[in-house]
Amino acid sequence: MAIPTYEIYALKYGGPFTRQGSFVRWFQDGDKNVQIQYYIFVIRGGGETIVVDSGVAPEAARQRNLAGYVSPAEVLKRIDIDAAKVKHLILTHIHFDHVSGIQLFPRANIYVQEKEFNFWMKDPMAKRAPFLFLTEPSANRYLAKQEGKKRLHLIRGDKKILPGIELLLAPGHTPGLQVVAVNTARGTAIVGSDLAHVASSYQTDFPSAIITDMITWMKSYDKVRPRASSPDLLFPGHDLALLENYPRVAEDVSRLV
Ligand SMILES: [Zn+2]
């Protein structure tokens, strides 16, 4: 059977936010501001809909006073996806902007790296200040309760979860960050999440400021970059260009490929 080709969509649910340049590229451009946005991604094809990251749920967004916030469930509706019926939810990593909306997807199979899960759920280090401020405790408690259930898939390393959809372990930003390699009409594309916050990080070889292991991060660049069929199929996690430089299919939704 032929491997399906998929389309990839970026859905903005928060921002833009102003950050120092050194936030998106480590120790670079500290005197300049850059803008970032919060996204979830949708991979669609072969009769399947896969959501990558859950975004932030309304309650957590209120507490954090997130500018430009729209519930990820509302943004999904704009391309006719009912979050409550989504069958596949990939969590790239367990930072609040990627997992706080997990309860918007009550029926989804959840795919997360075992290393990532164990760190945030079980390692006392995750409760230390530089890690803790990046988490949403209520979402993490919910995620912890999914352990042992059939819907939670704890992934060890690289794994094909559907024909043409492969998870790649790419740590450095977090202990078990994963990216998604997707078969598209233009070849393999990478939904890279925070392996690079902005496209220029891939080009200039700089990580963001949030690092758990810099050497590992560089090795993840070396591993993931060649997997994309071309450099423009390597999609960063927070770049404004994801919305601005691609065809708009609905409000705050673009088709990347
Ligand atoms: Zn992020």
Side-chain angles (χ1 to χ4, degrees):
M1 208 179 78
I3 295 170
T5 55
Y6 298 86
E7 296 187 331
I8 303 173
Y9 300 85
L11 295 80
K12 183 208 139 191
Y13 75 89
F17 308 101
T18 301
R19 299 278 188 270
Q20 275 180 7
S22 54
F23 173 82
V24 298
R25 290 193 314 127
W26 191 77
F27 267 80
Q28 306 302 299
D29 305 326
D31 55 342
K32 289 185 202 140
N33 283 335
V34 294
Q35 294 203 302
I36 62 160
Q37 301 186 131
Y38 288 172
Y39 297 94
I40 62 171
F41 297 86
V42 166
I43 301 167
R44 208 144 60 163
E48 298 283 1
T49 296
I50 302 107
V51 175
V52 181
D53 290 336
S54 73
V56 176
E59 178 59 27
R62 257 194 304 277
Q63 285 164 10
R64 288 176 183 271
N65 225 336
L66 279 191
Y69 174 79
V70 181
S71 169
E74 291 302 312
V75 189
L76 283 164
K77 259 187 218 160
R78 294 175 191 159
I79 52 169
D80 301 317
I81 295 170
D82 180 350
K85 292 183 183 158
V86 166
K87 273 171 37 190
H88 304 286
L89 176 67
I90 295 168
L91 299 177
T92 61
H93 62 300
I94 304 182
H95 281 166
F96 78 90
D97 52 319
H98 299 263
V99 302
S100 300
I102 185 168
Q103 292 179 69
L104 301 170
F105 301 89
R107 291 191 186 83
N109 284 289
I110 299 163
Y111 305 86
V112 62
Q113 287 287 329
E114 185 176 55
K115 254 178 134 176
E116 183 75 1
F117 185 89
N118 285 346
F119 176 75
W120 296 102
M121 301 301 129
K122 298 173 186 178
D123 191 328
M125 183 61 74
K127 298 281 190 288
R128 302 284 288 273
F131 296 106
L132 189 64
F133 90 102
L134 295 162
T135 69
E136 172 54 46
S138 65
N140 284 11
R141 279 195 297 275
Y142 177 83
L143 192 51
K145 281 193 207 138
Q146 307 311 305
E147 192 172 13
K149 294 187 185 168
K150 244 175 72 185
R151 68 183 296 222
L152 182 70
H153 302 259
L154 295 176
I155 310 294
R156 294 188 185 148
D158 301 347
K159 184 163 187 186
K160 290 197 174 83
I161 58 165
L162 289 166
I165 308 268
E166 186 177 7
L167 304 175
L168 302 176
L169 176 63
H173 178 60
T174 62
L177 177 94
Q178 62 184 353
V179 304
V180 193
V182 183
N183 187 51
T184 74
R186 291 176 51 213
T188 302
I190 302 288
V191 178
S193 184
D194 292 359
L195 179 58
H197 281 59
V198 293
S200 63
S201 300
Y202 281 124
Q203 292 145 15
T204 60
D205 217 21
F206 272 95
S208 81
I210 300 169
I211 300 168
T212 55
D213 184 332
M214 173 90 85
I215 294 171
T216 299
W217 193 320
M218 293 294 112
K219 289 180 179 166
S220 293
Y221 271 165
D222 292 345
K223 171 182 173 176
V224 170
R225 275 198 201 100
R227 290 295 304 269
S229 292
S230 70
D232 63 340
L233 291 174
L234 207 45
F235 297 111
H238 292 277
D239 202 316
L240 260 62
L242 291 172
L243 205 55
E244 287 166 0
N245 293 0
Y246 296 89
R248 209 61 81 96
V249 297
E251 187 187 355
D252 289 345
V253 182
S254 61
R255 189 178 57 245
L256 300 177
V257 57

